[in-house]
Structure formats: structure tokens, C-alpha cells
């Protein structure tokens, strides 16, 4: 499915580029806008170029990193969140001389999270109580199935439209990341038993129950600016 989406979009992008080469060659205005965004996908560097008066190509690199430690009940937690996406999009402006755009494309998706939990006293997971030494340090890693993720969005972008060097842009959409994959392990002797690993997996899935819908359809919301070269 991912390869088919990538192939389809690549053919569309190449065809659009070839069909508009003469247009791009004859343009007297700027043909490259570069800028920065901030939003749910992190901090972004983005470039945009026109194909026609209503169709534009856009590529970006989005990145965000965060780590946090805390103590909750009988567990000491450490967590890391790493967001990395590289979207390739087509922007269609349905109204002449309007910044309103409809966008679609794909993104390389390497969003992931990792966490460790170390019990500081006996901890109960479902119906089993584990001693700190027998459980050891519990490690969990969360990744998503779609490394190539489709994106749809609507937004506003005045680059190449307002005839000014600086432009403003905003976007709201979703990226389909697929299903979450959780890998759980522990360092203690109890982790050698499959029943312990099963309990840890069930506990990790229960903790993600409230946010699963946001993981599957990741919100893409951003604001930023560009400079026309």
C-alpha cells in the first residue's frame, strides 16, 4: 500500500512538473519561497515553488524532540518523544489571486516514543504483584506502521500571490500514520516468563487507549512565514 501511494504521487508530481516546464521557464516573478513553521509536527523548514498560477509544489522537514522524567506512585518514569517527518505536497489554489489552498501528498514518517519505568517498591500489574528486583527496568517503544504516510490539509499561503517578499501561511489537516506498534521488555528475572510480558503489553496498550485515535490520524496544524527569492 505504501509503495503504491508513493508511486502514484511520484507519477503525479513528475507529470505535473513536465507539463508546466514551459510555464516555469517563462515566469518573470520569483520561483522559490523558503520559510519556517511551528505546529503539531514540531519546528519546520519549508520550501515552495509554483508549477502554474494555481498549482504549487512544497517540501518540508519537521522535527521535535522532548524528554521528561517523573515519579508516579511506585514507578520512576523516563520518556522520550521524537517527531520527524518529511512531507512532499501539492498545493491547489481553487480561487484566483487567493491564498486559500487544498493540499495532498505523502510524508516520510519517523514519529516514535520510548519510555522506561523502574519500580521503587512492589507494583501490581493486573492480578500479579512484582517485586522491584524481579521486574527490573521496564522498557517500551512506540512506532507507527506507515513509514510513508498520506496527508490531506487545507490552509492559507500568500507566497507568490501577494507580490511581496514576505508571506504568511497556516495549515490544518491530518496525516494517516496507520496502527501503533508497541514493543515492551524488562530486565528482571520475571520478564523471562511470557505471562509477565503479556501483562506489560496489556498495561501499555491500556495506557494508550485515550490517545490511539490521535496516533492513527495525527493532526497537522501549523503557522509560519516564507520569503520569496
Amino acid at each position: 500500500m505504501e509503495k503504491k501511494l508513493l508511486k502514484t504521487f511520484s507519477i503525479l508530481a513528475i507529470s505535473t512538473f513536465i507539463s508546466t516546464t514551459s510555464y516555469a521557464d517563462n515566469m518573470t516573478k520569483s520561483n522559490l519561497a523558503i520559510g519556517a513553521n511551528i505546529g503539531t509536527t514540531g519546528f519546520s523548514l519549508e520550501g515552495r515553488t509554483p508549477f502554474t498560477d494555481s498549482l504549487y509544489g512544497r517540501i518540508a522537514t519537521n522535527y521535535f524532540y522532548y524528554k521528561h522524567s517523573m515519579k508516579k506512585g511506585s514507578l520512576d518514569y523516563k520518556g522520550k518523544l521524537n517527531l520527524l517527518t518529511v512531507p512532499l505536497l501539492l498545493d491547489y489554489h481553487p480561487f484566483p489571486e487567493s491564498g486559500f489552498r487544498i493540499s495532498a501528498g505523502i510524508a516520510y514518517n519517523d514519529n516514535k516514543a520510548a519510555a522506561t519505568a523502574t519500580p521503587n517498591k512492589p507494583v501490581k500489574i493486573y492480578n500479579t504483584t512484582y517485586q522491584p528486583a524481579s521486574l527490573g527496568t521496564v522498557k517500551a517503544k512506540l512506532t507507527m506502521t506507515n513509514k510513508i504516510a498520506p496527508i490531506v490539509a487545507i490552509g492559507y499561503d500568500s507566497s507568490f500571490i501577494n507580490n511581496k517578499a514576505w508571506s504568511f501561511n497556516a495549515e490544518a489537516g491530518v496525516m494517516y500514520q496507520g496502527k501503533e506498534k508497541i514493543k515492551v521488555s524488562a530486565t528482571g528475572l520475571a520478564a523471562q516468563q511470557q505471562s509477565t510480558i503479556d501483562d506489560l503489553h496489556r498495561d501499555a496498550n491500556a495506557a494508550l487507549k485515550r490517545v490511539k485515535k490521535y496516533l492513527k490520524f495525527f493532526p497537522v496544524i501549523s503557522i509560519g512565514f516564507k520569503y520569496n527569492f
Side-chain angles (χ1 to χ4, degrees):
M1 181 65 178
E2 294 175 8
K3 291 182 178 179
K4 190 176 293 184
L5 282 169
L6 180 59
K7 183 178 180 180
T8 301
F9 186 78
S10 297
I11 292 173
L12 176 61
I14 292 171
S15 299
T16 302
F17 178 78
I18 292 174
S19 65
T20 57
T21 299
S22 59
Y23 172 85
D25 288 341
N26 294 325
M27 285 198 319
T28 57
K29 59 183 179 180
S30 61
N31 57 12
L32 178 63
I34 296 177
N37 303 323
I38 185 171
T40 55
T41 55
F43 300 96
S44 171
L45 290 177
E46 181 177 273
R48 192 166 101 123
T49 189
F51 292 149
T52 70
D53 283 333
S54 60
L55 192 64
Y56 298 77
R58 182 158 50 102
I59 187 170
T61 298
N62 307 315
Y63 182 74
F64 179 75
Y65 177 79
Y66 178 73
K67 64 179 181 179
H68 182 65
S69 300
M70 69 175 184
K71 181 177 181 180
K72 184 177 180 181
S74 58
L75 295 172
D76 297 326
Y77 287 97
K78 291 182 179 180
K80 296 179 181 179
L81 174 65
N82 193 96
L83 302 180
L84 174 61
T85 52
V86 182
L88 177 64
L89 300 160
L90 287 177
D91 296 336
Y92 174 63
H93 291 250
F95 308 115
E97 302 301 320
S98 170
F100 174 75
R101 72 187 185 198
I102 301 171
S103 304
I106 56 174
Y108 167 72
N109 176 30
D110 194 30
N111 289 343
K112 56 191 175 185
T116 61
T118 305
N120 50 56
K121 58 183 177 181
V123 58
K124 188 173 184 179
I125 302 176
Y126 291 96
N127 296 320
T128 304
T129 299
Y130 296 94
Q131 298 297 322
S134 66
L135 190 59
T137 298
V138 179
K139 299 179 180 181
K141 184 178 181 180
L142 171 69
T143 57
M144 306 305 298
T145 55
N146 285 358
K147 286 297 183 183
I148 302 298
I151 300 176
V152 292
I154 59 172
Y156 177 89
D157 195 325
S158 60
S159 58
F160 308 108
I161 294 174
N162 62 6
N163 294 320
K164 296 180 180 179
W166 292 97
S167 58
F168 169 79
N169 57 267
E171 187 166 57
V174 292
M175 177 175 66
Y176 180 63
Q177 298 192 111
K179 294 183 179 180
E180 72 284 349
K181 294 192 297 183
I182 304 173
K183 184 177 180 181
V184 181
S185 61
T187 60
L189 291 176
Q192 297 179 10
Q193 302 177 17
Q194 186 59 44
S195 59
T196 301
I197 298 299
D198 291 341
D199 281 347
L200 292 174
H201 270 284
R202 285 197 298 163
D203 189 61
N205 278 288
L208 289 172
K209 188 175 181 180
R210 292 183 179 180
V211 298
K212 278 187 177 182
K213 61 181 179 180
Y214 301 109
L215 295 174
K216 189 174 184 179
F217 294 98
F218 191 87
V220 178
I221 301 171
S222 68
I223 58 173
F225 64 91
K226 292 187 181 72
Y227 182 80
N228 292 10
F229 289 90

